[in-house]
Amino acid sequence: MSHFSFELKKECQDTKARVGVFNTPHGIVETPRFMPVGTLANVKGITPDHLAQAQAHMVLSNTYHLHLQPGEGIVKKAGGLHRFMAWDGPILTDSGGFQVFSLSEMRKIREEGVVFRSPKDGRLIDMTPERSIQIQNDLGADVIMAFDECPPGDAGRDVVEAATARTYRWLKRCVAAHKRDDQALFGIVQGGIFLDLRAKAAAELVDLDLPGYAIGGVSVGESPENIRKVVQHTAPLLPKEKIRYLMGVGTYREMAQAIASGIDVFDCVIPTRLGRHGAALVQGDRWNLKNAQFREDFQPLDETCPCYTCQNFTRAYLHHLIKAKEMLAYMLLSLHNVTELIQFTVRIRESILGDRFVEDFGDWLEPEPSEKTNSC
């Protein structure tokens, strides 16, 4: 694993927030940083050049989806994911565990792995930890994720405890199956909302001395308060000298609070999903560009945003494209939304380096107003 290292550059004096650099065979990832999701070897509607301009240091693809289409064999013959999708920066592949376990009516969990029926063609697929790692070895991403069992957010303790224990057993099988030293295998801390299970899982994973660690099983139905508690409790239990990844999170407030707990990188489908529905992220708020109020609004979406969309087009033009159902609208909005979240983490990085994190981002460190109301 000499290809990978995490350098801790600065720590916040008031929180557990930190600045670091994650070194990979395809370049560095400056942290904290939002990572765009490119499930099928593309970030929907955004070219690799525009991703680079948006300062997307690392992008994600998904093992489950790429196994179904086009198949890891095709990607391997193409020279690996980097060549296949024309992206020469770092790539992370999720194991597909979340997607497999979301097929609740189409899969059967066993100790050996999970058998599920392909939603594409109906064929039976036997996904084991070894198979997930072999697929990811063939895909060739810089970072690969262990195959885990992700229980739903409302699962009871017995279910979560069993899933967490199985995740650890599967992780050890993933470690044994992993064949490439130019790929970093990350383990995933499960445990639901049960903090003692999270602590036990974290301790077991740390003993394996992996190059990086993820917190999974959040944003699967829990309340914002429970997500925050899990992250605040779990992140400090992971090694300070290793990169920490919070899976499936991508709002301003969630990221700011997680960074304050010591998390380094994030991913979420929110920015491109909103873009495909005509919505823009602006300073943490969601704007529906279909609304008539934008018809004669000739300002950029965000004057402070460096993205191609904001530098060249107005709200009125985007409104027009959406009303006309032009494909360009969804591409421009997706590009802006991805840039918006990346720039948010870039600004946080700069604020930590300048000892201004709490001063500059204190509002985002507070719970949602609705949470405060509900707790009274």
Side-chain angles (χ1 to χ4, degrees):
M1 285 301 164
S2 59
H3 302 280
F4 299 90
S5 65
F6 181 73
E7 303 171 41
L8 188 59
K9 298 293 187 180
K10 177 130 185 182
E11 295 179 271
C12 175
Q13 298 302 307
D14 303 309
T15 70
K16 294 180 174 65
R18 64 215 209 132
V19 165
V21 176
F22 181 51
N23 297 283
T24 81
H26 286 89
I28 66 169
V29 181
E30 294 181 344
T31 67
R33 183 73 51 149
F34 176 78
M35 305 181 296
V37 177
T39 301
L40 280 163
N42 75 299
V43 179
K44 294 185 186 302
I46 306 178
T47 66
D49 281 350
H50 278 153
L51 278 176
Q53 291 170 23
Q55 301 184 57
H57 285 185
M58 178 180 276
V59 300
L60 277 71
S61 286
N62 184 269
T63 300
Y64 163 81
H65 288 288
L66 289 173
H67 175 61
L68 296 183
Q69 170 64 42
E72 64 276 8
I74 297 294
V75 176
K76 185 177 182 180
K77 286 179 181 178
L81 264 181
H82 294 88
R83 289 187 180 180
F84 191 55
M85 62 188 288
W87 172 256
D88 60 3
I91 300 175
L92 180 153
T93 44
D94 191 357
S95 69
F98 175 80
Q99 286 74 26
V100 169
F101 287 100
S102 68
L103 301 171
S104 57
E105 304 301 320
M106 304 169 65
R107 50 90 171 142
K108 181 178 180 180
I109 304 172
R110 306 171 300 162
E111 183 61 29
E112 183 63 22
V114 183
V115 176
F116 65 97
R117 194 168 292 280
S118 167
K120 278 192 169 293
D121 56 19
R123 64 191 169 100
L124 282 177
I125 297 175
D126 191 356
M127 187 65 75
T128 65
E130 293 80 6
R131 184 72 174 118
S132 174
I133 294 300
Q134 179 263 309
I135 295 169
Q136 292 186 83
N137 284 167
D138 285 349
L139 293 174
D142 300 271
V143 174
I144 65 176
M145 302 303 298
F147 190 65
D148 62 328
E149 181 175 349
C150 183
D154 60 355
R157 183 182 175 92
D158 289 349
V159 172
V160 174
E161 190 166 13
T164 304
R166 185 179 288 117
T167 289
Y168 176 59
R169 295 194 296 272
W170 283 357
L171 171 59
K172 290 190 289 185
R173 288 166 56 187
C174 287
V175 170
H178 184 33
K179 302 301 183 184
R180 293 180 57 166
D181 64 3
D182 61 343
Q183 293 180 301
L185 172 62
F186 285 16
I188 303 172
V189 179
Q190 291 288 353
I193 63 173
F194 305 100
L195 300 187
D196 60 321
L197 296 183
R198 291 281 181 176
K200 182 176 185 292
E204 291 174 336
L205 267 62
V206 169
D207 280 346
L208 295 177
D209 192 26
L210 302 170
Y213 298 88
I215 298 175
V218 299
S219 294
V220 290
E222 314 93 329
S223 68
E225 179 183 7
N226 278 331
I227 293 174
R228 187 169 61 253
K229 286 179 178 179
V230 165
V231 175
Q232 288 175 344
H233 179 77
T234 308
L237 302 176
L238 302 175
K240 183 178 288 190
E241 70 277 8
K242 302 291 179 70
I243 190 168
R244 302 164 177 168
Y245 164 32
L246 180 59
M247 307 178 75
V249 162
T251 69
Y252 271 30
R253 196 173 304 277
E254 288 172 331
M255 289 194 295
Q257 292 175 354
I259 289 169
S261 299
I263 294 295
D264 302 304
V265 289
F266 312 83
D267 78 286
C268 190
V269 298
I270 284 176
T272 51
R273 179 176 291 168
L274 289 177
R276 296 195 304 277
H277 289 86
L281 292 169
V282 182
Q283 299 297 318
D285 293 328
R286 298 184 185 184
W287 292 3
N288 184 352
L289 270 293
K290 298 175 185 176
N291 290 343
Q293 71 187 81
F294 298 110
R295 185 180 180 188
E296 297 184 32
D297 189 340
F298 301 107
Q299 302 175 81
L301 273 176
D302 183 347
E303 291 182 350
T304 67
C305 179
C307 80
Y308 175 78
T309 303
C310 290
Q311 295 300 310
N312 291 279
F313 304 104
T314 66
R315 300 169 187 176
Y317 180 65
L318 294 167
H319 170 79
H320 153 67
L321 291 179
I322 292 168
K323 297 296 285 186
K325 298 183 179 179
E326 287 288 340
M327 186 184 302
L328 182 60
Y330 313 115
M331 296 170 65
L332 293 175
L333 286 174
S334 295
L335 173 59
H336 165 76
N337 290 344
V338 164
T339 305
E340 177 89 7
L341 294 186
I342 292 172
Q343 286 299 309
F344 181 69
T345 54
V346 168
R347 293 196 301 273
I348 288 182
R349 189 178 201 274
E350 293 169 349
S351 75
I352 298 169
L353 289 171
D355 297 315
R356 304 185 314 272
F357 176 49
V358 175
E359 177 184 347
D360 292 350
F361 293 91
D363 288 347
W364 293 109
L365 300 178
E366 295 292 325
E368 289 274 11
S370 59
E371 285 187 67
K372 294 180 182 179
T373 301
N374 292 337
S375 64
C376 293

